[in-house]
Amino acid sequence: ANCEGPEKQTKFRSGVGKLLYLSKWSRPDISNAVRELSRCCGVAKQAHFKAMYRVMKYCVDTREKGWIIEPNRRWDGRKGTKFEIKGWSDSNYAACVETRKSVSGYVVELEGVNVVTRCTGQPIVTLSVTEAELFAAVLCAQDMLYVKKILESMGLEVKLPMILNMDNQGAIDLVNSWSVGGRTRHIETRQWFLREQLKEKGIIRVEWVSGEKNKADLLTKNVTGSVFERHCDEFCAE
C-alpha cells in the first residue's frame, strides 16, 4: 500500500524535487535514478522512499563531486576560431514495464564541456531498438542545432560538421541510407530530419561509438559499478 496520508506523498515529492534540482545543475550522474523516482510521485510506497534516501545518501557521500567545466582549449578572443560541438545519444528500449515506452538520454558538448544533459521517457511506443535510438538521436540533434544558433547569435563560428555519436549501427545506417523499407516506413519523418542536416546541409555527421564509450549510456539505464564510475568521471569531478 501507499505510505500513509498525503503528508508522506508531499514529503516524497519534495525530496524528488531537490534531487531534480541537483541533477539539472550539478549532478547529472543521478539523472536516470531521479527520472525513475519522479514517475512515482503521488503513489510512492516504502520501497520508493528507500530508493530516494539511497540516492540522497549517495549525493551526500560524494558531495565533493560537481559538474566539470573544463574546456579542451582556452579561447584567446580572436575572431575566426571555430568552436566544436559534439553529441552523444542513447536509448533504453521498452524500459517501462507498464507502458513499454523507451527512455532517451543524450549529452551535448561544447569544447569538451557538457552543456546539455537530458534523460527523459519517450512519449510514444517505438517498435524497435533502432527506432528508439533514432528518436533519441533526433532530440540530441535538435539541441546541438540550438547550441550552434546561440554561438552564431554571438558572432562565433562553429566547426562543421558537428559529430553525433551513437552506438546503434542500424540507426546510423538508416540515417545514411536513402532507402525506406516496409519495417522503417513509419519512422521516415525523423529519418528525413537527420538526413537533411547530414546530407544536404552538412551540419551533422553521425558516427558509431561503442556502448562502453558512449557517455549517454549512464542517462538511460542502470549500469554496472565499473561502467558507472567510468562515465561518472566524464560528468562530475572532485
Side-chain angles (χ1 to χ4, degrees):
N2 294 353
C3 290
E4 296 179 3
E7 293 182 359
K8 285 283 188 178
Q9 298 302 317
T10 300
K11 183 178 180 181
F12 182 82
R13 285 193 294 268
S14 177
V16 172
K18 292 179 175 65
L19 291 174
L20 280 169
Y21 182 86
L22 276 177
S23 67
K24 183 176 181 179
W25 296 110
S26 64
R27 297 300 299 269
D29 52 324
I30 64 172
S31 295
N32 186 54
V34 177
R35 179 193 61 79
E36 289 282 358
L37 290 172
S38 64
R39 296 177 58 243
C40 307
C41 290
V43 293
K45 300 179 181 179
Q46 193 62 40
H48 303 131
F49 274 86
K50 183 177 180 180
M52 181 182 69
Y53 292 142
R54 183 180 180 185
V55 176
M56 289 180 173
K57 183 178 185 302
Y58 166 75
C59 292
V60 172
D61 291 343
T62 58
R63 55 185 174 274
E64 70 281 357
K65 290 188 175 182
W67 204 303
I68 301 176
I69 304 179
E70 187 177 349
N72 294 331
R73 57 178 177 170
R74 295 180 62 87
W75 181 42
D76 56 10
R78 296 180 182 178
K79 291 185 177 180
T81 301
K82 294 187 177 181
F83 291 83
E84 186 177 29
I85 298 174
K86 286 186 177 182
W88 310 73
S89 71
D90 192 29
S91 71
N92 188 5
Y93 177 63
C96 179
V97 296
E98 298 175 356
T99 64
R100 307 312 296 173
K101 292 181 179 179
S102 305
V103 176
S104 296
Y106 62 88
V107 182
V108 178
E109 285 184 354
L110 173 59
E111 289 294 336
V113 176
N114 302 319
V115 293
V116 178
T117 58
R118 189 178 181 191
C119 170
T120 181
Q122 296 183 358
I124 62 173
V125 178
T126 52
L127 303 182
S128 65
V129 176
T130 296
E131 185 180 359
E133 293 279 351
L134 191 59
F135 192 101
V138 169
L139 292 178
C140 184
Q142 289 174 323
D143 270 350
M144 291 172 69
L145 293 175
Y146 179 65
V147 174
K148 173 178 175 292
K149 288 183 180 296
I150 292 178
L151 293 178
E152 291 176 341
S153 70
M154 295 187 293
L156 304 176
E157 297 184 41
V158 175
K159 180 181 178 181
L160 298 178
M162 299 181 292
I163 306 300
L164 172 54
N165 297 284
M166 303 173 60
D167 58 12
N168 185 277
Q169 191 62 55
I172 296 175
D173 292 341
L174 192 60
V175 170
N176 288 312
S177 172
W178 288 98
S179 62
V180 178
R183 292 182 295 178
T184 59
R185 190 177 295 114
H186 61 289
I187 56 178
E188 184 178 1
T189 302
R190 293 190 185 87
Q191 191 177 347
W192 274 96
F193 172 79
L194 280 181
R195 283 174 181 170
E196 182 183 44
Q197 308 300 324
L198 176 73
K199 296 287 186 181
E200 298 182 8
K201 298 182 180 179
I203 295 177
I204 293 177
R205 182 171 75 240
V206 180
E207 294 185 354
W208 180 84
V209 64
S210 66
E212 295 180 352
K213 297 181 180 180
N214 189 351
K215 62 170 62 179
D217 195 44
L218 184 67
L219 303 175
T220 59
K221 59 182 72 73
N222 297 325
V223 295
T224 62
S226 59
V227 174
F228 180 85
E229 291 295 332
R230 181 171 65 251
H231 289 317
C232 183
D233 290 340
E234 298 176 337
F235 288 102
C236 303
E238 298 183 5

